[in-house]
Amino acid sequence: MAFGRAPRTTHTTTTTTHGTHHADRRGVFHPILTLSNILIWLSSVIVLGISAYEIHQIKKYAGSNAWPGNRLVYILVIAVLTVAFFLLSFMLHPRPSYSLLFNLIFSYLWLVSVVFAAESYSNRYVPSIWHALEAFTFIAFFGLLFNILYTWWQWHRATPRTAAVV
């Protein structure tokens, strides 16, 4: 108690009115985060299917040596990576710092896919399946954006705070 300071104590959690500790509670939005991860995975599976189908059609009708374009191949590769690696997000969401990094990386990859799809397939003279490809890339990106905001909030909430005693 030198110089009017209180003795140091270890960080303790406070008890809520329901008797549970803040550190023991799971977030209210964990079911919503799981549903968001499922939505992202399903939309990436749909984007994977549509882009693979379109590449197959281009190769079928334009010849086997025809190049479908860098943008469509990029969208296909990002969809394949998301389908393959996004299953980890179901295991990572209890660890907000890893989940935040994982979602940040994939959100930037999907942002480029959204830009490519919007530039290439927003014309009204393209087939409607390309509009569906564009729509599902938007869904995957906005799902990842929600995951970033939620995991940042969860990570920020989980860090212990110290209060200065005067």
Side-chain angles (χ1 to χ4, degrees):
M1 301 250 323
F3 302 103
R5 296 173 73 187
R8 290 189 179 195
T9 59
T10 60
H11 178 67
T12 59
T13 57
T14 58
T15 305
T16 63
T17 57
H18 301 295
T20 59
H21 290 79
H22 287 292
D24 296 339
R25 277 191 345 203
R26 287 282 182 188
V28 176
F29 296 110
H30 273 292
I32 294 174
L33 183 66
T34 303
L35 287 175
S36 174
N37 287 338
I38 291 170
L39 180 70
I40 292 166
W41 190 80
L42 287 176
S43 64
S44 64
V45 167
I46 292 170
V47 168
L48 170 66
I50 291 172
S51 58
Y53 173 77
E54 287 300 318
I55 288 175
H56 174 72
Q57 293 296 353
I58 289 170
K59 295 251 184 212
K60 181 179 175 182
Y61 291 113
S64 62
N65 293 332
W67 180 249
N70 291 338
R71 292 179 178 196
L72 189 58
V73 171
Y74 178 83
I75 292 170
L76 175 69
V77 168
I78 297 307
V80 167
L81 289 175
T82 304
V83 168
F85 291 117
F86 212 75
L87 293 175
L88 290 174
S89 68
F90 296 112
M91 293 179 280
L92 287 178
H93 79 263
R95 296 176 187 91
S97 60
Y98 296 121
S99 181
L100 181 63
L101 179 66
F102 188 76
N103 286 318
L104 273 172
I105 291 169
F106 274 96
S107 70
Y108 281 114
L109 294 173
W110 276 100
L111 179 63
V112 173
S113 295
V114 165
V115 170
F116 284 168
E119 285 180 349
S120 301
Y121 311 125
S122 289
N123 192 351
R124 72 174 137 169
Y125 300 112
V126 297
S128 61
I129 197 167
W130 289 3
H131 290 293
L133 177 77
E134 182 182 4
F136 282 107
T137 56
F138 274 106
I139 290 171
F141 172 69
F142 285 119
L144 282 164
L145 187 64
F146 169 77
N147 282 357
I148 288 170
L149 294 175
Y150 173 73
T151 54
W152 176 81
W153 172 74
Q154 187 181 20
W155 183 51
H156 182 70
R157 185 183 72 150
T159 56
R161 304 283 189 276
T162 57
V165 178
V166 180

